[in-house]
Amino acid sequence: MFKNYLTVALRNLTRHKGYTAINVLGLTVGLACFLLIALYVKDELSYDRHHAHADRIYRVTRDWVEKSGTVSLHLGHVAPPFGPLLKNDFSEIEQVVRLRGTDFTLRHGDKVFNEGDGDAFYAEENLFKVFSFNLVQGNPDKALADPFTIMLSQPMADKYFKGQNPVGQVLRVNDRYDLTVSGVFEPQPAQSHFHPHFLVSFKTLEDDRIYGREGLRTNFGNNSFATYLLLPKHYDASRLSTRFPAFIDKNVTNDGDKPSKWTRLYLQKLTDIHLRSHLDSEIEANGDINYVYIFSAIGVLVLLIACINYMNLATARSAGRAREVGLRKVIGARRGQLVGQFLSESAVLTGVALLLALVLAVGMLPYLNNFAGKSLTFRSLLDGPVVAIVVALAVVTGLVAGSYPAFFLASFQPVKVLKGKLSGASSNAGLRQSLVVVQFAISIFLVICTTVVYRQLHYMEGKSLGYRKDQVLVLPAYSGDSTVNYQAFTNELKAGAAVKNAGRSSRIPSGRLLDTNGARVMKGDSLAFTDIPVKFLNVDHDFIPTYEMKLVAGRNFSRQFATDDTTAFILNETAVKQIGWKNADMA
């Protein structure tokens, strides 16, 4: 029976080549779009799930509350004392591990590189008891146990020690101290919220030249430590979170109000960090669950358009196939057999379209990777879950696209058909018209959305940011000659014709503004805390000229006024408006 269905289906499809080509093309594009979006969605949803204890790992986050009740900062990093204190006060916590990002200059022989920017961390020795790493060399229980030891990823080991055994080798840091290589590990997969290439023993931070043991024990103000907890299986993390206010009041220095009134701790699931975390400090840029929802909806809509296109074309040919249906019914074909025949045609078309869609998807992968910042490969299409999605997609598409034409054509009454009267044609006209309207409505909606997004991106690219961003180089400053002898360094830079100006700041304008001291403003005869968080940068006299910012009122910092180094500040226009001053001159 199935062989007969297939033979007749192929005969019909090859006889009407134009009709077949249009349908195959439509289904191919729809399926290819859906496949590419499915790959993107699967990749986004798989972040940090490669860790063996992924469902038990939580990150500790911290926020600050202004007097007005406004949250001024919510950080994905916390102060260093919190980790040991949490382990000490809550017996149910199995492990606590802290990471602190760092930047440094590494030297080995004549090789010198600036390293960091999210891939170098001080890490506690129990790191491998919480997170899953594949070690190439080294003992996971001892590799980070001793101070002044460092572990390298395999690419970094090849970069510094190609052809040599890296373990036991020495790297010079910032020309100040040495680190001994204690192990090599494989890089974390792309689907990870952090990608270390250098892991330095956390005990190294106890050295007073770097951080200091006392600072690690008592400094609640420096929130630069990513802190993770490993909780027991099936443990309800909310039970722990409800006890955090009392924990804060007990351990954080009390300046009058209870500390839990102005700062709070939270627990965040490891697997939620990439898509559901947009805090004021993250190790790397995250994705957004809303994009997953939007792209998933687009994939479904595009595939739906392709299916509707097939339905409309199939029913449009109903007059040409009416006599075939009538004759089949006269010689004894049952309705179920006719439905099977037409569904087999849909299955053949969908199968061919799916093969072409796979080829098209592979060809479009580089463009998707460039657009989304991914590194998806052809092997991604051969992954077990993806293969299951592809098979299910073919079956569902074939059924959805072929169901209506199959039942519609199989409903023809043979007597009326052979007399030239198509029963069912008029009764189904409304449905076909509705499908056309839905198809065009979805298409117009997607075109409008695409146009809006394109114009928004064009606006963002061309919008003046209020400072010069072209021809400006940012040099990360490490503790070394460039910071100690800064003036001599910049004088030498500006002595050449290539450098027009040079200034320095605690952060760059395009970075996250995390620093705030709780600004106060005159209200009546006294100073009062503002209702808004006022973030600040520490800058020098040449910062504004270097970025070519325009002053609306007042003047730039000047070396002629000694008080500029201690009491002067410059606000932007947004701060002036939110504080409540009517204009810049009033400020």
Side-chain angles (χ1 to χ4, degrees):
M1 180 69 74
F2 178 75
K3 182 179 180 181
N4 178 62
Y5 287 162
L6 186 61
T7 302
V8 175
L10 290 172
R11 185 182 301 158
N12 276 311
L13 293 175
T14 53
R15 183 181 303 163
H16 304 282
K17 296 182 178 61
Y19 162 80
T20 302
I22 293 173
N23 268 326
V24 168
L25 178 62
L27 288 173
T28 297
V29 173
L31 288 167
C33 289
F34 189 92
L35 278 174
L36 290 172
I37 290 173
L39 282 177
Y40 167 82
V41 170
K42 175 184 174 294
D43 184 81
E44 287 290 283
L45 294 176
S46 64
Y47 267 71
D48 292 308
R49 298 184 185 276
H50 61 282
H51 297 290
H53 306 309
D55 60 331
R56 299 165 54 199
I57 302 173
Y58 290 79
R59 182 174 69 170
V60 183
T61 71
R62 184 184 187 185
D63 73 10
W64 278 259
V65 184
E66 298 286 341
K67 296 282 187 179
S68 62
T70 304
V71 175
S72 59
L73 280 176
H74 191 171
L75 300 177
H77 296 70
V78 299
F82 280 122
L85 289 171
L86 285 166
K87 185 69 171 69
N88 181 71
D89 285 19
F90 301 106
S91 59
E92 57 265 58
I93 297 176
E94 294 186 5
Q95 297 286 340
V96 174
V97 63
R98 292 173 291 176
L99 297 172
R100 184 176 190 261
T102 185
D103 299 300
F104 43 43
T105 299
L106 288 182
R107 177 190 296 274
H108 176 68
D110 58 351
K111 296 179 181 179
V112 183
F113 296 98
N114 284 333
E115 305 287 9
D117 193 23
D119 60 11
F121 299 89
Y122 294 97
E124 293 193 282
E125 59 187 284
N126 61 338
L127 175 74
F128 306 118
K129 294 180 180 179
V130 178
F131 295 101
S132 299
F133 280 77
N134 294 322
L135 266 61
V136 179
Q137 290 179 272
N139 185 332
D141 296 325
K142 298 180 179 179
L144 294 173
D146 297 325
F148 296 99
T149 54
I150 185 173
M151 298 186 70
L152 309 177
S153 69
Q154 187 65 65
M156 292 302 106
D158 294 338
K159 176 180 175 179
Y160 285 91
F161 307 104
K162 191 170 183 63
Q164 306 176 51
N165 181 4
V167 176
Q169 300 274 9
V170 175
L171 292 170
R172 185 73 176 169
V173 180
N174 296 336
D175 284 329
R176 296 172 61 205
Y177 55 90
D178 295 329
L179 296 176
T180 302
V181 178
S182 59
V184 179
F185 58 89
E186 292 181 5
Q188 286 285 289
Q191 299 79 18
S192 175
H193 81 285
F194 72 119
H195 295 87
H197 284 291
F198 304 91
L199 294 171
V200 183
S201 168
F202 198 86
K203 290 182 179 178
T204 308
L205 287 173
E206 295 179 359
D207 190 288
D208 289 332
R209 295 173 297 172
I210 305 171
Y211 197 93
R213 182 176 299 177
E214 186 64 17
L216 291 173
R217 191 179 67 83
T218 63
N219 189 343
F220 285 95
N222 179 5
N223 293 272
S224 57
F225 292 75
T227 303
Y228 302 87
L229 311 182
L230 180 65
L231 301 181
K233 290 183 179 179
H234 311 300
Y235 182 82
D236 183 2
S238 63
R239 291 169 53 193
L240 196 62
S241 299
T242 56
R243 296 155 66 189
F244 280 167
F247 166 80
I248 291 173
D249 290 336
K250 172 186 172 184
N251 292 289
V252 178
T253 304
N254 191 337
D255 292 329
D257 289 337
K258 285 185 176 181
S260 59
K261 288 188 175 181
W262 52 265
T263 188
R264 296 176 293 212
L265 295 180
Y266 302 89
L267 288 181
Q268 181 180 52
K269 288 182 65 175
L270 175 70
T271 51
D272 284 346
I273 291 176
H274 179 66
L275 289 177
R276 293 178 171 85
S277 179
H278 306 284
L279 305 183
D280 290 307
S281 68
E282 298 283 357
I283 294 178
E284 295 181 9
N286 289 334
D288 193 325
I289 189 63
N290 291 319
Y291 292 155
V292 172
Y293 295 147
I294 291 171
F295 282 113
S296 298
I298 290 173
V300 172
L301 290 176
V302 170
L303 189 57
L304 183 59
I305 288 175
C307 291
I308 292 175
N309 187 66
Y310 177 87
M311 294 179 192
N312 287 333
L313 287 174
T315 52
R317 290 185 63 242
S318 59
R321 304 200 65 177
R323 192 176 299 275
E324 174 192 344
V325 172
L327 287 173
R328 283 178 178 274
K329 283 193 171 183
V330 166
I331 61 177
R334 296 187 298 274
R335 181 173 180 175
Q337 293 174 318
L338 291 171
V339 169
Q341 172 63 55
F342 292 122
L343 285 178
S344 66
E345 290 185 17
S346 173
V348 171
L349 271 175
T350 304
V352 173
L354 181 61
L355 293 176
L356 295 175
L358 288 170
V359 175
L360 181 59
V362 171
M364 295 299 293
L365 267 179
Y367 300 99
L368 174 64
N369 288 331
N370 183 58
F371 174 76
K374 297 289 185 182
S375 54
L376 302 172
T377 63
F378 175 70
R379 291 184 62 184
S380 303
L381 290 170
L382 302 179
D383 187 38
V386 177
V387 172
I389 290 174
V390 169
V391 174
L393 182 63
V395 173
V396 172
T397 303
L399 289 174
V400 172
S403 58
Y404 172 61
F407 287 102
F408 170 62
L409 293 172
S411 67
F412 291 165
Q413 298 178 13
V415 174
K416 293 184 177 181
V417 166
L418 295 177
K419 289 183 177 181
K421 299 178 181 180
L422 295 181
S423 69
S426 57
S427 61
N428 286 278
L431 180 57
R432 295 200 305 275
Q433 291 171 359
S434 299
L435 288 174
V436 172
V437 171
V438 169
Q439 184 181 28
F440 274 94
I442 294 173
S443 301
I444 293 170
F445 171 74
L446 292 177
V447 169
I448 292 173
C449 290
T450 303
T451 303
V452 170
V453 170
Y454 171 78
R455 294 186 64 178
Q456 286 291 319
L457 291 174
H458 181 72
Y459 172 79
M460 290 168 59
E461 291 174 352
K463 172 67 177 175
S464 173
L465 301 179
Y467 63 89
R468 178 167 185 162
K469 60 185 177 66
D470 301 319
Q471 298 299 102
V472 176
L473 278 177
V474 176
L475 302 179
Y478 309 110
S479 52
D481 289 343
S482 63
T483 54
V484 176
N485 302 312
Y486 172 76
Q487 200 58 54
F489 174 67
T490 53
N491 288 341
E492 187 170 346
L493 281 178
K494 290 188 284 188
V499 178
K500 183 178 178 181
N501 211 335
R504 59 178 169 173
S505 59
S506 55
R507 300 181 188 273
I508 60 175
S510 58
R512 288 215 174 196
L513 302 178
L514 303 179
D515 304 312
T516 178
N517 280 338
R520 291 183 290 177
V521 65
M522 287 297 297
K523 292 184 178 180
D525 297 329
S526 60
L527 285 170
F529 282 99
T530 61
D531 294 332
I532 61 167
V534 179
K535 311 296 177 64
F536 67 86
L537 299 180
N538 289 313
V539 305
D540 68 1
H541 304 80
D542 297 309
F543 173 80
I544 288 179
T546 299
Y547 281 98
E548 297 184 357
M549 296 179 179
K550 294 181 180 179
L551 290 174
V552 178
R555 60 173 176 82
N556 185 27
F557 298 115
S558 172
R559 292 182 176 86
Q560 297 179 359
F561 297 88
T563 54
D564 279 9
D565 291 335
T566 56
T567 60
F569 56 90
I570 297 173
L571 293 172
N572 64 20
E573 290 181 292
T574 300
V576 170
K577 292 177 182 177
Q578 293 196 1
I579 288 173
W581 290 315
K582 293 182 180 180
N583 53 56
D585 290 320
M586 180 180 290

